[in-house]
């Protein structure tokens, strides 16, 4: 199961990705469906489900605003409160 | 050709700058819009440049590094953000027209220009701080005069701004890539503005706005940012607020290589080399009868101005150009600086170096100016 962390801009996604990389959490930057960005264009970090909590805490700790967190299971996205 | 006009733009760039521009033209799409390879390559290129600049200036948040067209564009954003709705500004007597003209054009804005003696940072500090009133919203000060190379006391002004609860805007056009500035210590500096194409060795068409401690952010240009697209209002997050439209990715790719060159060489080494060459140049020119050299061993860095008796600055530059030397004469878009020093009538001959000049070139220029002056029967 994967996880998507939605961020408002490519710059936020890049900064967050760099932050996770320093914490040895692998991530890739993707364009998520518009619906996951609350109807706006955004970028997402795709990470492993097991890294979700640590990643979200780190990103929030760096004051990078998160627009949403979703799990991806069998092709379906489900918003979670991380 | 021997190039001494680096205060306008550096001509010799590290070879990787040229290669990076070409590579970006071939491989970079539009950053922050799509998720395909070309778009993501562009986004990576742009972000790496943000990170390099943030690191050089002690900034923890790379998104506070905004790319602009040039330093003038950055200064317009800074000044119009800080003085939106009117107010009073204090500026040094050495500011470029890229500071003065926006102030002149803004409704409800008044400013006090403080003329002080050349190479006297204490006088500049005392004069500017004394000019602050209850209506003053900000001080705007160049780090290095683009005409005379006078290093102004921006760190002390930042501390003063903190005491008064106002902000500082720094024009780092001549210092970027030569003198350090630490944004983590400049607690009261709202913005630092700089070109990418001078001593950061990027291509023309690149500039940088560092957003410091301020919540007064006002966009001059609204439009597509690739973010928050459902919202019909301009996003308020950085850098998107100030980066509407397609970025100059090719230029930024080149600028990133310029930044890597600076990081590898070291600001200290760059400053030392340029100061050594400038000291040699100033010493040589001072020995020529009829030439006035505006130089100070301590409070000078960057461009050197000279005047020659009975030879207007533009005429001297023309004669030197005939011999293959590239220099700039006239007022250098900074009439305030010339009024401060008393060179407003004919301006000055400005000699500005880069890291890629050498002592042989300096000696050749000195010899040519000596020859021209001897032909004038000195």
């Amino acid at each position: 199961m994967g996880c998507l962390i939605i961020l408002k801009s490519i710059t936020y996604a890049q900064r967050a990705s760099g932050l996770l990389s320093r914490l040895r959490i692998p991530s890739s930057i993707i364009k998520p469906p518009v619906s996951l960005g609350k109807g706006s264009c955004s970028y997402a970090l795709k990470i492993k489900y097991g890294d979700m909590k640590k990643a979200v805490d780190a990103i929030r700790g760096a004051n990078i605003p998160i627009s949403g967190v979703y799990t991806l299971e069998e092709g379906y996205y489900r918003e979670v409160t991380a | 050709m021997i190039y001494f006009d680096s205060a306008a733009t550096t001509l010799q760039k590290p070879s990787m700058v040229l290669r990076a521009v070409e590579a970006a033209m071939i491989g970079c799409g539009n950053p922050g819009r799509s998720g395909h390879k070309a778009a993501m390559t562009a986004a990576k290129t742009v972000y790496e440049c943000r990170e390099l600049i943030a690191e050089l200036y002690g900034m923890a948040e790379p998104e506070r590094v905004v790319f602009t067209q040039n330093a003038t564009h950055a200064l317009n954003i800074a000044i119009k953000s800080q003085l939106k709705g009117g107010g009073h500004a204090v500026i040094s007597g050495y500011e470029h027209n890229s500071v003065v003209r926006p102030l002149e054009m803004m409704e409800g804005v008044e400013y006090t220009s403080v003329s002080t003696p050349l190479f006297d940072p204490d006088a500049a500090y005392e004069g500017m701080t004394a000019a602050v009133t209850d209506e003053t919203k900000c001080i705007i000060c160049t780090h290095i005069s683009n005409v005379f190379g006078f290093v102004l006391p921006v760190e002390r002004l930042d501390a003063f701004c903190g005491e008064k609860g106002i902000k500082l805007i720094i024009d780092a056009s001549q210092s970027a890539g030569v003198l350090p500035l630490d944004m983590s210590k400049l607690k009261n500096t709202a913005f630092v503005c700089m070109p990418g194409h001078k001593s950061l060795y990027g291509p023309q068409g690149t500039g940088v706005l560092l957003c410091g401690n301020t919540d007064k952010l006002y966009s001059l240009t609204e439009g597509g940012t690739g973010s928050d697209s459902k919202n019909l209002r301009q996003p308020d997050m950085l850098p998107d607020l100030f980066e509407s439209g397609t970025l100059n990715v090719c230029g930024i790719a080149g600028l990133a290589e310029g930044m890597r060159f600076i990081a590898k060489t070291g600001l200290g080494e760059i400053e030392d080399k340029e100061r050594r060459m400038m000291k040699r140049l100033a010493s040589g020119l001072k020995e020529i009868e009829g030439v006035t050299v505006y130089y100070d061993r301590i409070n000078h860095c960057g461009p050197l101005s000279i005047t020659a008796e009975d030879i207007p600055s533009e005429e001297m530059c023309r004669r030197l150009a005939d011999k293959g030397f590239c220099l700039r004469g006239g007022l250098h878009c900074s009439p305030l600086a010339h009024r401060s020093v008393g060179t407003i009538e004919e301006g000055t001959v400005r000699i500005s170096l880069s890291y890629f000049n050498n002592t042989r070139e300096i000696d050749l220029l000195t010899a040519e100016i000596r020859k021209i002056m001897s032909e004038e029967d000195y």
Side-chain angles (χ1 to χ4, degrees):
Chain A
M1 187 162 63
C3 171
L4 290 185
I5 301 172
I6 313 295
L7 298 139
K8 274 183 160 181
S9 73
I10 182 68
T11 312
Y12 282 152
Q14 288 171 307
R15 187 170 158 222
S17 180
L19 180 69
L20 297 190
S21 178
R22 287 190 287 279
L23 295 172
R24 299 177 186 277
I25 300 174
S27 67
S28 56
I29 300 174
I30 65 164
K31 281 284 281 183
V34 170
S35 58
L36 301 193
K38 310 289 191 263
S40 275
C41 298
S42 54
Y43 282 81
L45 291 187
K46 189 175 179 184
I47 60 171
K48 289 179 186 170
Y49 179 77
D51 291 330
M52 184 173 70
K53 184 169 187 326
K54 190 177 175 186
V56 168
D57 287 348
I59 293 167
R60 287 198 175 125
N63 293 320
I64 302 170
I66 292 174
S67 300
V69 182
Y70 294 83
T71 56
L72 174 58
E73 193 174 4
E74 295 175 353
Y76 292 97
Y77 294 104
R78 186 171 64 86
E79 188 162 16
V80 295
T81 308
Chain B
M1 182 173 76
I2 298 178
Y3 192 80
F4 285 120
D5 199 13
S6 294
T9 197
T10 49
L11 191 62
Q12 296 103 325
K13 314 283 186 186
S15 58
M16 282 305 294
V17 172
L18 280 68
R19 284 184 222 150
V21 172
E22 186 181 19
M25 290 192 76
I26 294 166
C28 284
N30 205 331
R33 267 59 172 177
S34 310
H36 55 72
K37 186 181 175 185
M40 296 307 283
T41 301
K44 183 172 181 284
T45 300
V46 169
Y47 189 71
E48 283 177 356
C49 193
R50 277 191 222 285
E51 284 194 308
L52 288 161
I53 294 167
E55 190 172 338
L56 183 67
Y57 284 95
M59 299 174 79
E61 299 173 341
E63 65 267 26
R64 300 188 81 81
V65 175
V66 172
F67 291 113
T68 61
Q69 298 164 25
N70 45 48
T72 298
H73 182 203
L75 280 162
N76 269 267
I77 295 172
I79 291 166
K80 288 167 184 173
S81 287
Q82 209 56 43
L83 291 168
K84 188 176 187 319
H88 177 253
V90 173
I91 68 173
S92 85
Y94 292 88
E95 298 308 308
H96 192 273
N97 276 345
S98 54
V99 167
V100 181
R101 287 180 174 171
L103 292 171
E104 287 280 344
M105 290 299 290
M106 288 183 75
E107 280 187 27
V109 168
E110 293 183 348
Y111 69 95
T112 304
S113 168
V114 182
S115 181
T116 56
L118 187 60
F119 301 130
D120 188 340
D122 291 338
Y125 176 82
E126 295 299 333
M128 292 175 78
T129 54
V132 169
T133 70
D134 291 343
E135 305 301 314
T136 304
K137 285 186 170 177
C138 64
I139 294 176
I140 308 171
C141 189
T142 186
H143 195 185
I144 295 178
S145 160
N146 73 306
V147 181
F148 295 103
F150 174 23
V151 182
L152 283 108
V154 290
E155 286 91 352
R156 286 161 65 193
L157 288 170
D158 175 270
F160 172 82
C161 286
E163 292 167 16
K164 291 290 178 183
I166 60 174
K167 296 296 181 187
L168 178 66
I169 296 172
I170 300 174
D171 176 0
S173 291
Q174 298 300 329
S175 69
V178 181
L179 291 184
L181 278 177
D182 187 346
M183 290 295 280
S184 70
K185 292 179 180 164
L186 296 170
K187 302 288 187 193
N188 308 292
T189 296
F191 298 101
V192 177
C193 310
M194 65 190 74
H197 60 95
K198 300 186 198 274
S199 292
L200 296 180
Y201 296 108
Q204 290 165 337
T206 57
V208 177
L209 174 72
L210 306 181
C211 300
N213 180 17
T214 183
D215 54 3
K216 288 186 178 175
L217 303 168
Y218 174 66
S219 63
L220 302 185
T221 308
E222 294 80 30
T225 58
S227 56
D228 202 14
S229 300
K230 195 177 179 183
N231 187 358
L232 299 183
R233 307 278 299 180
Q234 186 76 357
D236 58 5
M237 62 188 165
L238 291 170
D240 303 44
L241 172 64
F242 294 136
E243 288 185 354
S244 291
T246 301
L247 284 173
N248 176 8
V249 176
C250 299
I252 293 167
L255 177 58
E257 289 304 325
M259 295 303 301
R260 288 191 178 96
F261 168 79
I262 289 165
K264 186 179 173 188
T265 308
L267 269 188
E269 160 61 19
I270 292 170
E271 182 189 346
D272 284 352
K273 183 180 176 188
E274 292 191 20
R275 278 188 186 274
R276 280 197 306 274
M277 288 192 291
M278 193 52 80
K279 185 179 176 189
R280 184 185 184 101
L281 177 63
S283 300
L285 292 174
K286 276 181 178 175
E287 291 174 4
I288 302 172
E289 196 179 342
V291 171
T292 301
V293 182
Y294 299 89
Y295 177 72
D296 181 88
R297 194 171 57 82
I298 306 291
N299 297 305
H300 175 276
C301 185
L304 180 80
S305 266
I306 64 169
T307 51
E309 219 172 295
D310 294 338
I311 305 179
S313 63
E314 296 284 16
E315 170 64 12
M316 174 64 88
C317 288
R318 189 193 61 74
R319 291 194 202 181
L320 288 166
D322 287 345
K323 300 294 181 181
F325 294 96
C326 304
L327 294 85
R328 182 173 171 186
L331 299 184
H332 316 285
C333 299
S334 297
L336 293 188
H338 291 283
R339 287 199 184 104
S340 291
V341 177
T343 50
I344 190 72
E345 293 305 321
E346 282 296 342
T348 59
V349 176
R350 185 180 71 179
I351 308 159
S352 50
L353 312 179
S354 82
Y355 187 76
F356 295 102
N357 285 114
N358 57 51
T359 52
R360 180 181 159 273
E361 292 172 332
I362 282 168
D363 293 346
L364 285 170
L365 176 66
T366 306
E368 192 57 44
I369 292 173
R370 183 178 288 112
K371 189 176 168 196
I372 290 169
M373 295 306 288
S374 69
E375 286 166 356
E376 291 290 313
D377 294 321
Y378 281 96

